Amino acid sequence: FFHGCDYVKAQGLTILNDKRHANSDGIDIDACSFVTVSDCLIDTGDDCIAIRADAQRLSNPRKACEYVTISNCVLSNSTCSLRIGVGAGVIHHINISDLVLAHSGEGMTFMTGWQGGGGVAISDVHISNITGDDVGYPLQMYAQQEKIRRVTIDNYHTHCKGGVRIFANPGWVTDLVLHHVNIYDKEHEKPHPETA
């Protein structure tokens, strides 16, 4: 759990947490700047990697989570491979690439509110080259307390049980680009009916 940190490099980690336990996240990046995570194997009972903006307990309660890159990781979990959100601040300038998601409840989840607290503004996120297998919901977005802006997802291919879900106030998800996103029904090897 990196909280309020600057200039962080996490590389080559193997994190194996008991899938029967809640709150057994792999790596949490909370209100941090200039962070790289690469070449990691993470298998958990909760989120593999979470990007958060909960700076209220820091000396700078407005500190954003920004300038983060995540690459070349294999992620498996009971809850979510990649969660972006939680807290009441700002998350922006995030680059994620070259991930394998294996046996995941949720592939990628964006959320701007958490347990009735303030909202997290999310913007300028680029995600590319993601492969998934046995994923419950490949992409979810919840924008009901703050906005999600300028998100690009390019080259995302996954077998899954459910489709893409976006829950948002009108106009609160803007400049969302999905390019070469292929979501296949795990059982029937065809495009999922919810996203075809």
Side-chain angles (χ1 to χ4, degrees), residues 143 146-149 167-175:
E146 269 289 354
K147 295 182 178 180
I148 298 173
R149 300 177 296 144
F167 302 93
N169 292 326
W172 279 37
V173 174
T174 60
D175 300 304

Side-chain angles (χ1 to χ4, degrees), residues 82-99:
L82 180 68
R83 186 180 303 279
I84 300 175
V86 179
V90 173
I91 295 172
H92 60 176
H93 304 298
I94 310 296
N95 194 84
I96 298 163
S97 64
D98 301 297
L99 304 182

Side-chain angles (χ1 to χ4, degrees), residues 30-103:
D30 195 343
C32 296
S33 300
F34 303 100
V35 179
T36 65
V37 175
S38 64
D39 307 300
C40 295
L41 302 172
I42 304 175
D43 193 339
T44 76
D46 209 331
D47 303 331
C48 288
I49 299 175
I51 300 172
R52 306 159 45 107
D54 189 5
Q56 294 179 1
R57 291 176 292 171
L58 300 176
S59 59
N60 177 8
R62 295 186 178 181
K63 182 173 174 52
C65 196
E66 59 189 353
Y67 315 124
V68 176
T69 69
I70 299 166
S71 63
N72 299 320
C73 296
V74 178
L75 310 177
S76 181
N77 61 85
S78 299
T79 305
C80 187
S81 292
L82 180 68
R83 186 180 303 279
I84 300 175
V86 179
V90 173
I91 295 172
H92 60 176
H93 304 298
I94 310 296
N95 194 84
I96 298 163
S97 64
D98 301 297
L99 304 182
V100 174
L101 317 181
H103 313 298

Side-chain angles (χ1 to χ4, degrees), residues 103-105 133-138 158-163 183-187 192-194:
H103 313 298
S104 173
D133 182 52
D134 193 23
V135 173
Y137 290 95
T158 182
H159 292 89
C160 62
K161 299 181 179 73
I183 296 169
Y184 291 93
D185 183 292
K186 174 71 175 173
E187 184 176 350
H192 197 280
E194 293 182 29

Side-chain angles (χ1 to χ4, degrees), residues 104-125:
S104 173
E106 303 166 10
M108 296 182 284
T109 297
F110 292 73
M111 51 194 301
T112 65
W114 179 254
Q115 297 177 341
V120 181
I122 300 171
S123 64
D124 301 297
V125 179

